[in-house]
Structures are given as structure tokens and as C-alpha cells.
Amino acid sequence: PGLLVLSVAARGALGGVSFDLTAMIANGEAMRTALRESGLFLPALALLVTAAAAKSAQVPLHFWLPNAMVAPTPVSAFLHSATMVTVGVYFLGRVRPLLMSPEWVLVVASLGLVTMAVGAVLAVGATDMKELLAYSTASHLGLMVAGFGLDVVYGGEAGTFHLLNHALFKAPLFLVAGVVAHQVGTRNLDNLGGLWRELPVTAAISAVAALSMAGIPPFNGFYSK
């Protein structure tokens, strides 16, 4: 529906109904003017942000992400760190030049900051390894969304950079969760103390990825955070 609203506004901005998002973004000022004159700016903003929030597990639509962790670990590593959940964030980054406005900053930046905080709190209370990683993913997605929501060039750059870095450190952590579950038979963190003695290589990979996720220099997560 949001793209249909944009296509209607394109009739006035581009001289005809168009579904060419690239052309809309290239004529962002004319599109914003057409949207506001037709009273469609806020509906378009609400529809597009809601769709992206649902796809990228933003509050209050974050609940589906930990429930999806029943998938096999390689699927989780692929879909929930680098591809599926980040599509909504990527889309916000794409339409950011088109919809940038005080309303965009208020809605998108606030949504990202709230999700970042809620996801972090829920991750701290999680006892299942994959559930913890899922809530952490929601929190990091919130960080990216907040970056794209800010009306400064560094916001967009940080959002894009962290989208890449998140895939680099979160995919190994999901795979580590699979290794641990396979070797030990449980993902419950309360039962995994001292496991580094039995799985030293896995422990080393976990340490590097976790330090990056925490934003500790000189690991890659530090630079985008």
C-alpha cells in the first residue's frame, strides 16, 4: 500500500503513475511536495515504516523474531543476521532521501532507539543461546534504523556500515550456537559454564564475534557503533 501511495504522488511529480523507486528518489523534492499537497505524506510514511518495522522486528512487532529461532541454525545464521531481517532496514535506507523530514526523524529515529533499548533488555534476561542472539539482533536492527532516522549524513553511513558488520559477527555466533547444541545437547546458558575447555576453537570464535558485537576496539563492530 505504501508503494501505491507513492505511485499516486508520482503522477504529479514525475508526470505519470510510476513504480520506479529510483526515479522517485532522484526527484525526492518534487515527490515530497506532491505528497504533501495531496495529503498523502503522512499515510505514505506510516505505511512504509510499519512494513519495514514488521520485516525488521522493530517494537512492538519484534515478538516474531525469537519465535523464528526454531529454524535450523544455518538457516538462522543466513536469514537472521545477513538477509531477511535486514531487508526492512535496507528499505528504510533506500527511501530515506525520499521521505526525509522532521516527521521521518521523529518516527524512525524514535522507533530505532526504543527497539535498541527493548531488545538489549530482553537479551539480558534470555537463557537460551539462540533466543539471546535473536533479541540482540532486534537491538542491533534498532541501532541501524535509528541511524537511518537521523537527518545527518553520518546517520546513513553508520546504518549502512553496521548492517554489514552485524552480518559479519552475528552469523558466526548463530553457527556457534548450532555447534554447541550439537556437541552438548542444550542451548541453555545456565548449563554451559566452562565449555571452552572442551571446544577451544569454538570458544575463540565466540570471543572474537562477541567482542565485535559489544563494540570493543579494534574489532569491526566498534567502528560502526
Side-chain angles (χ1 to χ4, degrees), residues 9 12 32 45 48 76 79 95 97 113 163 180 188 191 193 211:
R32 283 192 294 274
L45 177 63
L48 294 174
S76 297
L79 296 181
V95 299
L113 291 173
L163 192 153
V180 170
N188 192 312
N191 301 324
L211 289 171

Side-chain angles (χ1 to χ4, degrees), residues 13 69 72 101 121 127 153 189:
M69 291 301 110
S101 61
V121 170
T127 57
V153 66
L189 295 171

Side-chain angles (χ1 to χ4, degrees), residues 138-156:
S139 180
H140 282 272
L141 292 170
L143 173 61
M144 299 174 216
V145 168
F148 285 126
L150 299 177
D151 189 15
V152 291
V153 66
Y154 300 112

Side-chain angles (χ1 to χ4, degrees), residues 66-189:
N67 293 333
M69 291 301 110
V70 296
T73 301
V75 175
S76 297
F78 182 64
L79 296 181
H80 299 292
S81 64
T83 54
M84 189 184 75
V85 294
T86 56
V87 169
V89 176
Y90 172 77
F91 181 75
L92 288 177
R94 286 281 289 158
V95 299
R96 179 175 180 262
L98 177 61
L99 298 175
M100 180 54 69
S101 61
E103 296 93 333
W104 170 274
V105 175
L106 176 62
V107 173
V108 178
S110 299
L111 177 67
L113 291 173
V114 169
T115 302
M116 182 170 63
V118 171
V121 170
L122 293 174
V124 169
T127 57
D128 181 274
M129 187 182 296
K130 286 184 70 176
E131 182 184 26
L132 184 154
L133 293 175
Y135 283 128
S136 168
T137 295
S139 180
H140 282 272
L141 292 170
L143 173 61
M144 299 174 216
V145 168
F148 285 126
L150 299 177
D151 189 15
V152 291
V153 66
Y154 300 112
E157 290 179 352
T160 303
F161 190 19
H162 198 65
L163 192 153
L164 170 64
N165 283 342
H166 177 261
L168 294 178
F169 61 67
K170 188 57 66 66
L173 287 172
F174 273 118
L175 292 173
V176 162
V179 171
V180 170
H182 181 268
Q183 294 295 105
V184 183
T186 180
R187 298 197 306 260
N188 192 312
L189 295 171

Side-chain angles (χ1 to χ4, degrees), residues 2 56 61 127 174 197 199 220:
S56 292
L61 304 173
T127 57
F174 273 118
R197 298 183 183 89
L199 300 172
N220 66 332

